[in-house]
Amino acid sequence: LLHDVSCWLDDFQFPGDQPVAVTGPFNFLTGANPEFVYHLSTPTQAGTHVQGPRYFLADGATIDTVRLERFEGEAVLVDLPARGRDTTLAELREGLADRPLAGRILLLRTAHMAEVIASGELEPAQRPGLSLEAAQWLVDSGVQMVAIDSVGVESRETANYEVNVLLCRAGILILE
């Protein structure tokens, strides 16, 4: 079973980011059969995107060096209905119901991004987060990617993006 977790590049724009821009078509060929080439300019956090270790680590691996096999695999889905607070380790473990995570992709379904896209507004007070304790447990579990249908997994309690740094140091990919 395949799950499409993508959204359009221009569905949401972070405050301060340049908008996605598409120009063209351009034709650089001679002859009777023109080509239709477009130029695309986008911030790296537009649409559905994956963050690698370089996201928060200056010496971290860049996303282009991550093997394609890391982007596919068996996923474990957990529904997280809570908004405006961190998901605790106990809540995460309860949602997992003892399903193993080693080498798998964890999909955290919150419905938050659907709400943001529908309203056109990002309410920071409603953003879900992941506690630092839960993030450490995910690192220890051997999960290969953490995905969330929100603008990020960062804890609401941290001041310096400790959840993101922890996941990046462990080489865990973050899909937002």
Side-chain angles (χ1 to χ4, degrees):
L1 179 65
L2 295 176
H3 290 280
D4 181 2
V5 296
S6 60
C7 65
W8 294 103
L9 287 175
D10 59 357
D11 273 347
F12 171 76
Q13 180 180 328
F14 279 96
D17 273 354
Q18 294 294 314
V20 172
V22 180
T23 56
F26 303 102
N27 174 29
F28 300 108
L29 298 178
T30 59
N33 295 310
E35 66 180 343
F36 297 93
V37 175
Y38 296 83
H39 290 194
L40 173 66
S41 174
T42 181
T44 59
Q45 291 206 347
T48 304
H49 58 278
V50 177
Q51 307 288 1
R54 177 66 63 93
Y55 184 35
F56 273 91
L57 304 176
D59 61 347
T62 57
I63 201 69
D64 61 315
T65 65
V66 177
R67 294 174 47 95
L68 284 177
E69 292 81 18
R70 292 280 315 277
F71 296 92
E72 63 182 32
E74 186 176 331
V76 176
L77 176 67
V78 175
D79 285 307
L80 298 176
R83 300 281 195 296
R85 65 178 184 79
D86 286 353
T87 296
T88 66
L89 173 56
E91 292 167 329
L92 182 60
R93 292 183 75 163
E94 180 181 330
L96 284 164
D98 294 324
R99 291 175 288 176
L101 290 178
R104 291 185 168 87
I105 299 166
L106 175 61
L107 300 173
L108 302 173
R109 182 168 53 186
T110 69
H112 182 247
M113 202 66 217
E115 294 168 4
V116 170
I117 292 168
S119 71
E121 297 289 326
L122 175 62
E123 285 290 333
Q126 289 302 310
R127 181 186 61 75
L130 190 60
S131 74
L132 191 55
E133 180 186 32
Q136 181 62 60
W137 186 82
L138 290 174
V139 167
D140 297 340
S141 77
V143 71
Q144 75 174 8
M145 181 187 301
V146 175
I148 189 166
D149 61 345
S150 184
V151 296
V153 296
E154 188 57 48
S155 169
R156 301 181 58 73
E157 304 298 321
T158 57
N160 293 303
Y161 299 94
E162 286 90 346
V163 167
N164 280 290
V165 170
L166 179 68
L167 297 176
C168 288
R169 280 197 180 119
I172 296 171
L173 300 175
I174 304 167
L175 186 143
E176 301 171 344

